[in-house]
């Protein structure tokens, strides 16, 4: 089984943040209970755009700017609102019956499983 690489370690190993910035963010995360990425963004250690671009590249997932995306109501309606809200997801495209889903957290395995079951 492949070893899970933590976000902070990945950012440090690629020179995106320093070890000191990571330590400070982890300390703050332990106090607030938030997600590390959000702590880094809130602390202005990294911009949200830079973090998202980095994660997109590392995870080999496309980064889609919804402000520039042309939605098709027929496609977006394929994902029931309850699922869309619960998993912060939206149906983006229907490619010959394969529904492309955009998610705020594409690493949420529970959400992935539930959406696969749905479709």
């Amino acid at each position: 089984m492949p070893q899970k690489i933590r976000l902070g370690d990945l950012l440090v190993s690629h020179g995106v943040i320093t070890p000191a910035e990571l330590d400070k963010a982890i300390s703050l995360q332990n106090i607030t209970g938030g997600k590390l990425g959000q702590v880094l963004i809130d602390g202005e250690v990294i911009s949200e755009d830079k973090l998202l671009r980095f994660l997109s590249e590392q995870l080999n997932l496309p980064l889609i700017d919804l402000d520039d995306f042309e939605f098709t109501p027929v496609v977006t309606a394929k994902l029931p609102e309850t699922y869309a809200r619960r998993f912060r997801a939206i149906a983006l495209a229907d490619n010959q019956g394969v529904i492309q889903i955009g998610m705020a957290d594409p690493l949420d395995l529970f959400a992935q499983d539930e959406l696969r079951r749905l479709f």
Side-chain angles (χ1 to χ4, degrees), residues 64 66 69-72 75-76 90-94 99-102:
I64 299 170
L66 297 180
F69 191 82
E70 291 188 35
F71 294 95
T72 308
V75 174
T76 56
I90 189 166
L92 298 172
D94 183 346
I99 308 298
Q100 180 184 14
I101 303 289

Side-chain angles (χ1 to χ4, degrees), residues 5-26 36 40 45-46 50-51 54-55 58:
I5 298 175
R6 297 181 307 182
L7 173 61
D9 295 336
L10 194 61
L11 291 168
V12 169
S13 70
H14 284 82
V16 178
I17 65 171
T18 67
E21 289 170 328
L22 175 60
D23 290 342
K24 185 177 178 182
I26 289 172
L36 182 61
L40 290 166
V45 175
I46 188 172
K50 187 171 184 177
L51 179 63
F54 176 79
L55 289 174
Q58 292 302 310

Side-chain angles (χ1 to χ4, degrees), residues 27-28 40 63 83 93 100:
S27 295
L28 188 56
L40 290 166
L63 178 61
Y83 286 91
Q100 180 184 14

